[in-house]
Amino acid sequence: MTAFEEYYGFMEKFIAFYKEAQKAELEKLEALMSCELPRIQEAMKNYQSLIAKAQAFEDERIELCKSLGFENMAFSEVLRHFDEEQGKKLSEQKERLSSLIKTIKYLNKRSMDFVNVQLGEIEKEASVASIYNTKGLADSHLANSNLLNKQI
């Protein structure tokens, strides 16, 4: 197997993995928006599994680059080791990977934004509820007793 075939083949597997990661990121967002705890738990479990797989893929990529003599090289330097046609294929591959990663980052940001809004709503509700005592009467002494707002 040539260096190009080995590198290109690995990167195809890498892209396939990131397609899977993109689906998982979308499922995580949809699960969060559903507010269904079992669905959220399942999505987060799957997401954690993907994080471990991502690290394993990255370790494998680093080892492959070492074995091919591309250790610590930028992509532009790696391209110099291949002919023009191979370089074009690798550049197209890099664009597909970059696009997937950009989409994953966007979906993750949407998830984080959604969670932050939901936490803000919970915090607001908790602070309103915390000003009432056990008899249901307003008590100004309890106004700042919300555990979500405590500074430790």
Side-chain angles (χ1 to χ4, degrees):
M1 185 180 291
T2 67
F4 173 77
E5 291 169 335
E6 197 170 349
Y7 189 78
Y8 188 85
F10 174 79
M11 293 307 290
E12 283 298 307
K13 289 190 294 185
F14 207 46
I15 289 169
F17 166 75
Y18 272 99
K19 285 179 182 178
E20 181 184 336
Q22 180 180 345
K23 289 176 187 174
E25 191 68 52
L26 181 58
E27 174 54 34
K28 181 179 76 171
L29 175 59
E30 290 172 349
L32 288 167
M33 293 175 74
S34 77
C35 297
E36 297 171 13
L37 188 56
R39 186 174 173 193
I40 293 168
Q41 289 172 324
E42 183 66 23
M44 293 307 294
K45 185 177 81 174
N46 292 339
Y47 189 72
Q48 288 174 340
S49 171
L50 282 173
I51 291 171
K53 285 181 185 177
Q55 185 59 51
F57 259 110
E58 184 59 18
D59 293 344
E60 189 178 343
R61 185 193 66 78
I62 289 168
E63 285 304 311
L64 175 64
C65 286
K66 281 182 187 178
S67 73
L68 295 175
F70 304 152
E71 187 175 11
N72 298 322
M73 285 189 189
F75 183 72
S76 59
E77 294 173 302
V78 170
L79 288 181
R80 291 187 200 132
H81 290 33
F82 301 106
D83 66 36
E84 188 176 334
E85 184 181 327
Q86 292 170 333
K88 184 178 177 187
K89 286 181 179 181
L90 290 172
S91 293
E92 289 169 356
Q93 208 177 40
K94 182 181 183 281
E95 286 303 313
R96 287 187 287 146
L97 182 60
S98 295
S99 177
L100 284 166
I101 291 170
K102 184 177 178 181
T103 301
I104 290 168
K105 285 181 179 180
Y106 170 76
L107 292 170
N108 187 54
K109 183 181 181 329
R110 295 256 337 258
S111 293
M112 293 300 294
D113 290 347
F114 181 80
V115 167
N116 286 330
V117 167
Q118 295 302 317
L119 287 174
E121 291 297 317
I122 290 169
E123 194 171 274
K124 190 180 346 173
E125 291 296 320
S127 62
V128 168
S130 70
I131 64 170
Y132 296 97
N133 64 22
T134 56
K135 296 177 184 172
L137 303 172
D139 187 340
S140 62
H141 291 47
L142 297 173
N144 293 319
S145 66
N146 182 352
L147 289 176
L148 295 174
N149 292 322
K150 288 287 184 201
Q151 295 292 325
I152 298 175

